Amino acid sequence: MALHLFEAGVYLPILCFIVAAFVNRQAEFRDWELLLWIGAIAMVDLLPVPTEVEESFSLSFPLELAVAILYAAPVASAVALLGSSDTRELHGTVPFTRALFNRAQVGVAVVVESFLFHRAATLSSRWYLLAFAVLVAAIAGYAVNMLLVALHVHFKLDQPLKSVIRQMHSGVFGEFVLSYMGLALFSVLVAFSFKTLGPWAIFVFMAPLAFARQMFQRTHSLQVATQELAVKQAENEYQALHDSLTGLPNRVLFQQKLAEAIENASVVDGGIAVMLMDLDHFKEINDTLGHHFGDMLLTEIGPRLATVLRPGDMMARLGGDEFGILLPDLLEESVAVRIAERLMEELEHPITVEGLALDVSGSVGIAIYPEHSHNAETLLRRADVSMYAAKEAGGGFEVYKRDFDRDSPARLALISHVRPALEHGEFVLYYQPKVRLSDGKVAGAEALIRWQHPELGLVPPDEFIPLVEKTVLLRPLTAFVLEESMRQWREWADRGVRLQVAVNISVRSLLDGQLPDQIAEILNRYDVPPAFLKVELTESFLMADSGRSTGVLDAISDVGVNLSIDDFGTGYSSLSHLKRLPIQEIKIDRSFVMNMLNDANDAMIVRATVELGKNLGLQVVAEGVEDRETWDLLASYGCDEAQGYFFSRPIPADEFWRWLSVRDPNAMHQPSPPDSSGRLRVV
């Protein structure tokens, strides 16, 4: 009702004003030239410019202002009202009163323009007086037009008037206001030409107006495309940082926020708690009731547990049934303990999934910054250790204690046996093949160290490498890996097989300024072309590198050895680092590859990493490929190489030789030709 009253309140007065003027002979249609004005305005109005608001605008304004300059207010408003048109009128899609309002509000604006102009100047006035009168009339007419349209939108959509006006002056309308004065001065040229050249001069100005409309349309289209791209980018970013099932932040976002929280806490000497929680017996729920119930349970867990957190705390799904909780601004450990207790209390209540009440329990591990560590990786590891301690104890949650850690006295004692083990030849290298996705041929092998302990059996590297890295034994152990891998390469080459061999180098080894010369000497001794050795570094190097380590890396590259970033995606890589350092390859961490068939976020991360590598001109290798479906998906993404149990686990050198002879017999007698740079191409 308010909208109809408003429309009537606009068109009835202007119609009465025009009719009264003509009835009282205050105005009259002198000749057919006014019909030309009406036709010209109608032609321009039938080509409106789209906007971001519910209304559109046309470029007939200069013609209507020219009419206001040439004629008295009643005649000018009658011409503008009759000439104003809308394509929707032709199609019958706009109500009669709405069409009448659209015409009438233009007529009101023209009345204001004509009245103000003729009170201040005529076409024969001095140029500055003429320009002033035209600009004043144009500003007033625009204000009236804008206000009437805004009021119409306000009544129709029940939006605040200020909000409507603000929206009208954003985007295209903002640019329109800036060019409005130019169009107003253009109307003076139209009026002069009409007086000088006659009525047909009107149509000379149709082409410039059509061109101006085209420019407005292009600007609007570009703005719409930019807005759509921004929305799409925001959606992609959200999906990449959130779990697709629960909507909670994922591991990537959790690690980012943890790093930010540590940085902030270090500035203000604050505290942080990191919690890791997994659900007890979740596998049994999946196996008994099916994955559908398991997924539904996970979606219910998040919102329930989030109710016990403080504002500013963060809960994330890290994968499977594992959740991470970040408590920044921690004043004391007791706050984290209390929150853990409330989490356990919430889990005591059954969770209803499709009418079935499920009893769920969980285990929580807590690590505190700075008491337990000053870096994110160690905090997460110690929270994880605490979680498993809680699971073993059955107490619900545990705060980290040194006794929980696998760095036990037994492990520390193990380090004392490293030097004798080197002397007695207890360390051996296992090899895991790397396979090209394009043709399935073997592209190389990664050398992985193992400790054949006389009492403990085969000790995996995770048990001793972190300890060795803290001692002076790192240099001789690194030398052993380089020496043995190149000796093995020479043995294979003498048999007719030349495969690129990758070795892992500790970040701390990059502080050894003698490492590049050591590598060059070993390559020379075994007559190995440098391109057949690849040095792999963990992604943490990109965050921790210094001028010294970067210099060592550059020197290794100068030798001709290829460089690779291992476990890519688990750290906090800087694109500027990737671009600046002499890196030829990135390896996508297995944690993303192994779950990419079931986790849309992991699949998106893998695909984005492949595209990033390609755009930077890098080779991309996927780790952890365990089935054909993952292989096919990686191939469709354009990934270069892959390694994982789908091809072979890491195996001793003699087993690798037998595996290669069965897998790729053609590689046994085909040395690789040099590429365009003079280096050997890997087969």
Side-chain angles (χ1 to χ4, degrees), residues 37-46 58 60-61 63-64 76-87 89-90 98-110 145:
W37 283 111
I38 293 172
I41 293 172
M43 290 176 62
V44 176
D45 266 348
L46 291 177
S58 85
S60 60
F61 158 68
L63 300 182
E64 293 161 353
S77 62
V79 170
L81 187 146
L82 294 173
S84 298
S85 58
D86 192 323
T87 55
E89 292 182 31
L90 299 179
R98 172 72 178 279
L100 192 56
F101 166 80
N102 285 335
R103 292 171 177 265
Q105 56 94 7
V106 175
V108 172
V110 170
N145 176 233

Side-chain angles (χ1 to χ4, degrees), residues 257-421:
K257 294 299 183 182
L258 175 56
E260 293 173 4
I262 290 175
E263 183 177 354
N264 294 336
S266 66
V267 174
V268 298
D269 294 328
I272 298 169
V274 177
M275 297 183 178
L276 293 184
M277 181 191 78
D278 76 352
L279 304 180
D280 300 331
H281 312 300
F282 180 74
K283 184 177 184 298
E284 286 82 344
I285 294 175
N286 269 338
D287 293 343
T288 304
L289 301 177
H291 289 280
H292 172 68
F293 273 86
D295 289 347
M296 294 292 291
L297 174 62
L298 293 175
T299 60
E300 295 291 334
I301 284 284
R304 171 180 288 196
L305 298 184
T307 59
V308 310
L309 302 181
R310 309 167 303 168
D313 294 343
M314 177 184 183
M315 183 174 186
R317 184 190 177 202
L318 306 183
D321 63 331
E322 185 180 18
F323 294 85
I325 298 171
L326 175 61
L327 307 178
D329 304 321
L330 192 73
L331 298 179
E332 53 187 18
E333 181 181 306
S334 60
V335 175
V337 171
R338 178 55 187 153
I339 290 177
E341 291 173 344
R342 294 183 63 189
L343 290 172
M344 296 298 100
E345 291 170 2
E346 284 295 325
L347 290 178
E348 290 177 359
H349 305 290
I351 297 177
T352 302
V353 177
E354 295 188 352
L356 183 63
L358 300 177
D359 290 315
V360 182
S361 61
S363 300
V364 175
I366 306 172
I368 307 294
Y369 170 93
E371 286 81 357
H372 300 146
S373 178
H374 288 78
N375 66 78
E377 183 179 354
T378 306
L379 276 176
L380 287 170
R381 184 175 63 79
R382 291 181 170 173
D384 187 61
V385 167
S386 304
M387 181 182 70
Y388 281 99
K391 191 179 290 290
E392 292 174 2
F397 69 91
E398 291 283 356
V399 180
Y400 174 76
K401 299 175 184 176
R402 290 190 179 275
D403 295 343
F404 296 160
D405 207 305
R406 293 294 191 266
D407 288 341
S408 59
R411 273 193 82 193
L412 294 175
L414 189 64
I415 196 66
S416 65
H417 299 286
V418 171
R419 189 179 297 277

Side-chain angles (χ1 to χ4, degrees), residues 108-126:
V108 172
V110 170
V111 167
V112 172
E113 292 165 352
S114 178
F115 178 82
L116 291 177
F117 176 79
H118 289 292
R119 289 297 181 277
T122 66
L123 274 178
S124 58
S125 299
R126 294 182 180 273

Side-chain angles (χ1 to χ4, degrees), residues 32-95:
W32 56 272
E33 68 184 29
L34 297 179
L35 297 178
L36 293 179
W37 283 111
I38 293 172
I41 293 172
M43 290 176 62
V44 176
D45 266 348
L46 291 177
L47 300 173
V49 178
T51 72
E52 293 301 316
V53 294
E54 188 261 350
E55 301 289 344
S56 63
F57 73 88
S58 85
L59 291 173
S60 60
F61 158 68
L63 300 182
E64 293 161 353
L65 184 56
V67 170
I69 293 172
L70 291 169
Y71 302 101
V75 175
S77 62
V79 170
L81 187 146
L82 294 173
S84 298
S85 58
D86 192 323
T87 55
R88 294 171 296 180
E89 292 182 31
L90 299 179
H91 297 102
T93 58
V94 60

Side-chain angles (χ1 to χ4, degrees), residues 215-273:
M215 295 304 296
F216 273 113
Q217 281 186 313
R218 289 182 178 178
T219 302
H220 176 264
S221 299
L222 179 60
Q223 182 190 33
V224 170
T226 303
Q227 291 174 344
E228 291 177 350
L229 179 59
V231 170
K232 186 63 175 177
Q233 288 176 336
E235 291 176 353
N236 291 341
E237 181 178 355
Y238 180 87
Q239 293 173 0
L241 297 176
H242 290 78
D243 176 56
S244 59
L245 176 64
T246 63
L248 293 171
N250 61 14
R251 181 181 294 274
V252 175
L253 183 55
F254 186 78
Q255 291 177 329
Q256 290 178 359
K257 294 299 183 182
L258 175 56
E260 293 173 4
I262 290 175
E263 183 177 354
N264 294 336
S266 66
V267 174
V268 298
D269 294 328
I272 298 169

Side-chain angles (χ1 to χ4, degrees), residues 599-655:
D599 191 322
N601 284 329
D602 283 349
M604 182 179 296
I605 291 170
V606 171
R607 184 168 191 168
T609 304
V610 173
E611 293 176 355
L612 172 65
K614 294 298 184 183
N615 290 335
L616 294 176
L618 303 176
Q619 187 94 346
V620 182
V621 179
E623 300 179 289
V625 178
E626 296 189 352
D627 51 62
R628 181 73 192 190
E629 292 77 12
T630 303
W631 164 277
D632 291 337
L633 189 55
L634 287 167
S636 70
Y637 288 171
C639 187
D640 298 302
E641 297 174 8
Q643 64 184 95
Y645 283 11
F646 179 58
F647 319 107
S648 172
R649 69 186 190 283
I651 52 180
D654 55 347
E655 289 187 32

Side-chain angles (χ1 to χ4, degrees), residues 478-496:
T478 301
F480 165 79
V481 173
L482 291 168
E483 179 94 12
E484 178 58 21
S485 61
M486 294 301 93
R487 185 203 63 77
Q488 186 61 65
W489 186 93
R490 170 45 54 197
E491 180 179 325
W492 287 339
D494 291 342
R495 295 184 187 180

